[in-house]
Amino acid sequence: MAIKRRDFLKILGVGGISTIGVAGIGSLYSRAEVEVVPHTPPQGALKAKRWGMVIDVRKCIESGEECIKNCEAIQACHLTHNVPNIPDKKKEIKWIWIDNFEHAFPDLKDQKIVEHLSRFPFFLLCNHCENPPCVRVCPTKATFKRSDGIVMMDFHRCIGCRFCMAGCPYGSRSFNWIDPRPYLTKVNPEFPTRKPGVVEKCLFCYERLDEGKIPACVEACKSQALIFGDLNDPESEINKILKERVSLTRKPELGTNPSVFYVI
Amino acid sequence: MLEHALKGSKKYWLWLGFLGIFIITGAYFYLQQLKIGLGITGMSRDVSWAFYIANFTFLVGVAASAVTIVLPYYWHNHKVYGKMTILGEFLAVSAVTMCLLFVVIDMGQPMRVFNVLRYPTPNSILFYDVIVLNGYFILNLICAWTALHSYYKDSSYPSWLKPVIFLAIIWAPFIHIVTAFIYQGLPGRHYWLSAIMAPKFLVSAFSSGPALLIILAALIKKVANFDIGEKAFETLGKTMTYFYLAFLGFYLFEVFTSFYSGIPGHKAPFIYLFVGYEGHAEWVPFMWTAVILAIISLIILLNPRTRKNQTLLVLAAFTVFFSAYIEKGIGLVTGGFTPNPFETVTPYRPTLPEVLISLGVWSTGFLVLTVLYKITIEVDKRKNLAVKLKG
Ligand code: SF4
Ligand code: SF4
């Protein structure tokens, strides 16, 4: 029996669409792991296979309330990178900040551990995830992952769609809702200031690493509560600490694999 | 055929002028937004998508829903939808126009929009969304225009159109599935991280789209004497009913999963939306309004006798449309961002400029729609006249 033209078209359509579907799923699955952008550090730069940070919250609290209130690490970061000081909480820009345990680890909220930990301050910043959802969703590659593990931002390419903010499960990203420049008390000419309409976040001081310097926050922290290093180097200081002490990462169940660890 | 859009009664021009006022107001505030930044909206670091993207999401559904008319007509040769089909396709055109406008308006750096094409990124769902939306826009424009033209010329549509129509039919669900994927693949957003998101999107679209068409068809029957026919109303009513039931079911499945599993993160957005969370209850009245509207819809739609009454059907279409709009237009996006990653609440409320800009976009959509419908109605009138003269 001859197939009617209409039926033939139906078959054609269904067949075509399933082929496209299978191909699509395949390519999305293989791309669930984000592409890594190769990076060759210049001469004299600090190098690592995967940059990471350990935050020793015990040291932080030992240094006293004053130190936490006027945290020099935060100030150093925000001054170095021209992070504006916008008083409106809804529009503020934060690269690194301190919050309490319940907010930093909301999934552990109702556990016994909280009583003990809720007095500790927790530094929050971009986790430079090994499997970063922010990179996966960005439609322009304005957010990308470098081969040394740093999750970078290109302020000039970002279209301000804020997909990355919806994608980041840690609230690590800020958006320039308004012109940030009037909110800078001092401008660091070495680092670009931003326009309204782009996203920004902590970049692990990639520009300082290039000059052979450690991140500004790590350098400025008087109590040495922040430690920076190569997670892939078994001899690095951070790996030694991670071996000896109990550490936590934020929302490990999401599989993003943060490169920022909290030791308690 | 275009000339039909340029001749019209006083009422027609008044209506266009009325829309024009909203368009100009919206454009004025959009210029403000360009100057100041998205700071003139109510969005924040925590609720970083809101009213614009919500409207976008809702309208993608309206656009996709054209398939509920086009498919029975072309695929199953459902003759009753003859006149309805062109209306449905043109509704899709106008809905996609609004979608594209909402996307551009929501961007922080709209001048850089072409970066999406300059740096194609296939791992980003947004990349696919741009492709399917633009493709759908063109497909529908071709289909509806050509079909109308052949109606005008009194011939059947050309044979090359058939594959294009089939492609448009297959394409339609994908624009909404891809839009759902924007949400449902994000880790840490409990309200969105659900595989039923895409099917729920589709059924909500396939009820609210026909609802809008019922309203529009009733309207042009009244003002322009263009009747799609009783049978078409009835069938559209049925389509709306079944998909609306599926939608309510899917929504309740989500509620079951969240509350029976007892996972706090999954329950929190529902609690926030329906009873308030940690003292924040901004959207509670809206969500309960949606519930009440849903109940009214069900009362009318479930009884075939009330459903067949055209006045009541139009009323039900309104309740279906607005309940779906509240769910997708407010609940979905704010619910996804609240509570935020720190499990605290940052309340969101659209600001006046945000609302006016959105109204401007809707008015632009309705302007496009009015012009396209005007042409359709005129073509139809001339045809009827010709038939009468010949007869
Ligand atoms: S913490 Fe957020 S912004 Fe940073 S890499 Fe992970 S997902 Fe991206
Ligand atoms: S806001 Fe910028 S960085 Fe974020 S996803 Fe969009 S283009 Fe990428």
Side-chain angles (χ1 to χ4, degrees), chain A residues 134 137-143 152-154 157-165 173 175 197-199, chain B residues 124 126:
Chain A
C134 56
V137 298
C138 177
T140 62
K141 302 192 178 83
T143 291
M152 294 284 291
M153 262 299 312
D154 183 338
R157 189 183 284 191
C158 172
I159 58 171
C161 64
R162 311 186 297 293
F163 204 172
C164 54
M165 297 178 85
R173 297 181 155 252
F175 181 70
V198 296
V199 163
Chain B
S124 174
L126 217 56

Side-chain angles (χ1 to χ4, degrees), chain A residues 6 10 17 90-91 103 106 136-137 139 141 155-163 165-166 171 174 177 196 251, chain B residues 37-39 43-45 48-49 74-75 106 108-109 112 115 119-121 123-124 170 189 341 343-344 347:
Chain A
R6 189 210 294 267
K10 270 192 224 177
I17 215 65
K90 285 184 154 189
K91 312 266 183 268
H103 291 163
R136 198 181 318 152
V137 298
K141 302 192 178 83
F155 306 128
H156 302 288
R157 189 183 284 191
C158 172
I159 58 171
C161 64
R162 311 186 297 293
F163 204 172
M165 297 178 85
S174 305
W177 300 100
K251 305 189 182 178
Chain B
L38 282 162
M43 287 187 269
S44 62
R45 200 176 181 282
S48 48
W49 279 343
Y74 288 108
W75 207 301
D106 188 66
Q109 287 288 335
R112 297 184 186 164
N115 279 6
Y119 311 103
T121 313
N123 49 295
S124 174
I170 293 161
R189 304 280 173 193
E343 303 263 316
T344 57

Side-chain angles (χ1 to χ4, degrees), chain A:
Chain A
M1 199 182 76
I3 306 176
K4 274 197 261 148
R5 197 166 65 124
R6 189 210 294 267
D7 290 332
F8 177 69
L9 278 169
K10 270 192 224 177
I11 294 165
L12 208 70
V14 171
I17 215 65
S18 43
T19 320
I20 295 169
V22 169
I25 291 167
S27 91
L28 279 180
Y29 184 75
S30 66
R31 291 186 192 268
E33 297 261 320
V34 301
E35 208 180 303
V36 169
V37 177
H39 168 69
T40 342
Q43 276 235 311
L46 295 183
K47 292 180 196 95
K49 286 244 168 63
R50 181 182 165 200
W51 287 114
M53 190 185 277
V54 165
I55 296 169
D56 189 337
V57 287
R58 211 181 286 163
K59 270 194 191 156
C60 191
I61 200 165
E62 276 163 11
S63 56
E65 237 167 77
E66 256 322 289
C67 185
I68 295 166
K69 224 205 240 136
N70 297 313
C71 178
E72 285 181 25
I74 297 176
Q75 285 175 21
C77 166
H78 286 189
L79 273 176
T80 313
H81 301 109
N82 295 320
V83 177
N85 191 1
I86 299 172
D88 180 357
K89 279 255 164 278
K90 285 184 154 189
K91 312 266 183 268
E92 71 184 336
I93 311 269
K94 300 191 279 194
W95 282 32
I96 178 168
W97 68 102
I98 290 177
D99 208 332
N100 59 22
F101 181 78
E102 286 96 320
H103 291 163
F105 295 86
D107 301 321
L108 301 175
K109 197 161 53 184
D110 298 321
Q111 300 192 5
K112 206 70 192 140
I113 190 174
V114 177
E115 279 168 35
H116 169 62
L117 288 173
S118 57
R119 62 197 181 95
F120 287 108
F122 284 82
F123 276 100
L124 301 185
L125 68 158
C126 168
N127 285 300
H128 296 274
C129 305
E130 193 184 14
N131 187 18
C134 56
V135 174
R136 198 181 318 152
V137 298
C138 177
T140 62
K141 302 192 178 83
T143 291
F144 58 96
K145 195 179 124 186
R146 249 171 37 169
S147 48
D148 59 359
I150 299 184
V151 174
M152 294 284 291
M153 262 299 312
D154 183 338
F155 306 128
H156 302 288
R157 189 183 284 191
C158 172
I159 58 171
C161 64
R162 311 186 297 293
F163 204 172
C164 54
M165 297 178 85
C168 172
Y170 303 100
S172 300
R173 297 181 155 252
S174 305
F175 181 70
N176 285 282
W177 300 100
I178 45 177
D179 186 3
R181 285 163 193 150
Y183 298 91
L184 296 171
T185 34
K186 226 166 74 192
V187 176
N188 171 16
E190 313 264 285
F191 201 84
T193 55
R194 269 80 66 192
K195 276 191 188 185
V198 296
V199 163
E200 57 181 79
K201 68 170 188 75
C202 154
L203 301 170
F204 259 2
C205 282
Y206 74 97
E207 80 290 359
R208 287 175 56 97
L209 296 176
D210 276 354
E211 295 170 6
K213 294 190 220 157
I214 56 170
C217 57
V218 179
E219 189 182 86
C221 176
K222 280 188 294 201
S223 35
Q224 287 168 327
L226 310 177
I227 305 115
F228 190 71
D230 188 352
L231 284 169
N232 277 18
D233 173 7
E235 295 305 311
S236 69
E237 196 190 344
I238 58 171
N239 266 327
K240 281 186 194 145
I241 301 172
L242 288 176
K243 221 181 284 167
E244 280 162 19
R245 309 238 325 248
V246 180
S247 67
L248 292 172
T249 55
R250 293 170 69 197
K251 305 189 182 178
E253 73 281 5
L254 301 180
T256 58
N257 265 354
S259 300
V260 173
F261 297 79
Y262 299 87
V263 295
I264 50 180

Side-chain angles (χ1 to χ4, degrees), chain B residues 143-160:
Chain B
C143 291
W145 196 260
T146 316
L148 185 61
H149 202 257
S150 30
Y151 183 56
Y152 178 65
K153 286 261 139 64
D154 214 7
S155 58
S156 81
Y157 53 84
S159 56
W160 60 262

